Amino acid sequence: MDYPRRQALVAAQLGKSVDALLVTHLPNVRYLCGFTGSSGVLLVKGNTAVLFTDGRYTAQARNQVQAARVVIGKGSPLLAAAQVVQRRKLRKIGIEGEHLTVSAQAALRKALGTGTRLLSVTGAVEKLRMIKDAEEVARIRAAVDLGATLLDTALQSIRPGVKETEVAAELEYAARRAGAEAMSFETIVASGARSAMPHGAASVAPIPARGFVVLDFGVILHGYCSDMTRTVHVGKSSAGDRRMYEAVREAQQAAIDAVRAGVASGQVDRAARSRLRQAGLARHFTHSTGHGVGLEIHEPPRIARGQREPLQAGMIVTIEPGAYVADRGGVRIEDMVLVTDTGCEVLTPAPKDFIEL
Ligand code: ZN
Ligand code: ZN
């Protein structure tokens, strides 16, 4: 990973608005210097960077950190960073206001005294992280491929009477056996009426004899997340069930077809929504169409209603419209796509035909 380039881009983006940036959000720390520990603060100033961590991470920091000096502090890394800020007489420090708690900000202010101002810098690193470099794309492809292999395992375990958690367990066990570091979020197995809950984490509810089952899951591999959803039907489906499935599938395809560098992300959302409107399902599509994926499962950009931000080549986003009808059930289909200048590449290698188990 080209950490010096990333640090230089952050510094260039901030320009003279701050003297240095205090990076506290751990995925951003990792993105800028490679450190994956749970306690770390990175101070980026021009083209130099210092990572502050504690004694538990001495060996790990030595192995992982690149393009930054490592300081092992006795107390909080944040306060160790504050000491350096004071010593170097830095006056304007950028902080990640959306990630630093009120009490941490208060402690920092107290440690720095009145001579230094804290300026909240929103999304400075996240903005860079939206565009994936070749190494990141390769890692995400590997995570997506591993994730997609888990679908068959899950499908094999789906039978009426089996608990949703058992399906999740089989899927997650297979993920770990295949080398996943973790699941990228709580596995969703939502069956029957529960499939109408967009975020129905696997519960002890038994799979019913008839109904949809929404499976939404992802793995973390080499630090990068995957995210996919497939919906299957258990037992005999009705014509209405199949119509609903096809409408969501067509909405997903319409959104995929709308993806291209330069297109506002809201336009991609609109493509999915207008197809669902034709099917009378627009009001049952209660979330946004997609999100960026990378070191975190949800990261910018958002593919949502009214978003004017243009997509850029190198972004990796999900396309995941759905329809959720209370007491009846829900359908969602989700792939990850890589935005290109001419369109997009669908990364998720799994079929989307209607499956009746
Ligand atoms: Zn998902
Ligand atoms: Zn998603």
Side-chain angles (χ1 to χ4, degrees):
M1 298 289 177
D2 194 347
Y3 301 114
R5 178 172 178 272
R6 293 174 179 180
Q7 293 173 15
L9 286 171
V10 174
Q13 195 193 129
L14 294 171
K16 293 201 179 345
S17 63
V18 296
D19 296 331
L21 175 65
L22 204 50
V23 183
T24 49
H25 185 48
L26 290 169
N28 288 343
V29 170
R30 177 177 191 162
Y31 183 76
L32 293 172
C33 74
F35 181 66
T36 66
S38 67
S39 161
V41 171
L42 187 73
L43 185 69
V44 181
K45 182 184 182 308
N47 56 4
T48 63
V50 186
L51 176 86
F52 301 86
T53 182
D54 65 55
R56 293 171 299 167
Y57 291 110
T58 308
Q60 187 174 328
R62 194 185 306 130
N63 287 333
Q64 292 182 327
V65 175
Q66 293 174 42
R69 191 162 67 80
V70 175
V71 173
I72 309 289
K74 287 210 168 58
S76 129
L78 192 63
L79 297 183
Q83 282 175 7
V84 170
V85 167
Q86 268 200 319
R87 205 179 315 132
R88 294 201 197 161
K89 298 193 166 45
L90 304 176
R91 294 297 171 230
K92 285 186 294 183
I93 299 298
I95 57 166
E96 301 183 290
E98 73 272 42
H99 297 299
L100 202 57
T101 63
V102 171
S103 59
Q105 289 188 35
L108 194 55
R109 272 180 222 287
K110 197 172 159 209
L112 289 173
T114 50
T116 301
R117 278 167 59 206
L118 297 182
L119 298 148
S120 184
V121 177
T122 303
V125 186
E126 282 84 349
K127 199 168 155 193
L128 294 177
R129 283 173 47 199
M130 288 198 298
I131 313 292
K132 272 62 182 179
D133 61 31
E135 228 173 320
E136 293 184 289
V137 172
R139 287 189 183 197
I140 292 172
R141 276 184 202 281
V144 169
D145 287 346
L146 195 165
T149 65
L150 306 173
L151 180 64
D152 275 343
T153 307
L155 295 186
Q156 280 162 26
S157 64
I158 292 179
R159 273 185 307 280
V162 168
K163 288 195 285 288
E164 291 172 352
T165 50
E166 290 178 68
V167 177
E170 294 295 337
L171 185 152
E172 292 178 7
Y173 182 66
R176 293 291 274 169
R177 293 286 305 226
E181 291 148 20
M183 302 311 288
S184 44
F185 56 93
E186 205 174 6
T187 300
I188 291 173
V189 179
S191 64
R194 294 189 78 252
S195 64
M197 296 193 293
H199 276 182
S203 75
V204 292
I207 307 277
R210 263 182 80 174
F212 284 118
V213 183
V214 174
L215 301 157
D216 187 351
F217 54 92
V219 296
I220 303 178
L221 188 62
H222 303 303
Y224 284 80
C225 296
S226 77
D227 187 5
M228 72 178 281
T229 307
R230 288 295 182 268
T231 302
V232 298
H233 197 279
V234 179
K236 188 98 190 77
S237 59
S238 68
D241 294 334
R242 288 192 295 277
R243 266 200 307 277
M244 177 151 127
Y245 185 89
E246 288 309 324
V248 172
R249 185 180 162 171
E250 284 170 28
Q252 202 236 5
Q253 191 58 52
I256 289 172
D257 292 343
V259 173
R260 181 167 36 87
V263 167
S265 68
Q267 210 169 310
V268 175
D269 183 86
R270 200 180 317 137
R273 231 165 270 284
S274 64
R275 176 63 193 87
L276 287 170
R277 190 167 304 114
Q278 287 165 27
L281 291 168
R283 71 190 171 92
H284 298 295
F285 176 23
T286 46
H287 53 76
S288 51
T289 293
H291 53 88
V293 183
L295 287 170
E296 290 179 277
I297 183 61
H298 291 118
E299 53 181 59
R302 290 182 62 224
I303 314 290
R305 217 192 289 249
Q307 290 285 312
R308 294 216 181 88
E309 176 142 17
L311 295 173
Q312 298 174 61
M315 288 178 167
I316 292 184
V317 297
T318 69
I319 300 292
E320 51 175 310
Y324 312 91
V325 182
D327 300 325
R328 179 174 160 205
V331 174
R332 179 167 64 258
I333 301 172
E334 173 180 30
D335 288 325
M336 280 169 61
V337 307
L338 169 63
V339 181
T340 66
D341 286 322
T342 53
C344 72
E345 181 194 343
V346 177
L347 301 177
T348 310
K352 291 176 258 192
D353 304 315
F354 184 74
I355 295 179
E356 210 174 70
L357 293 173

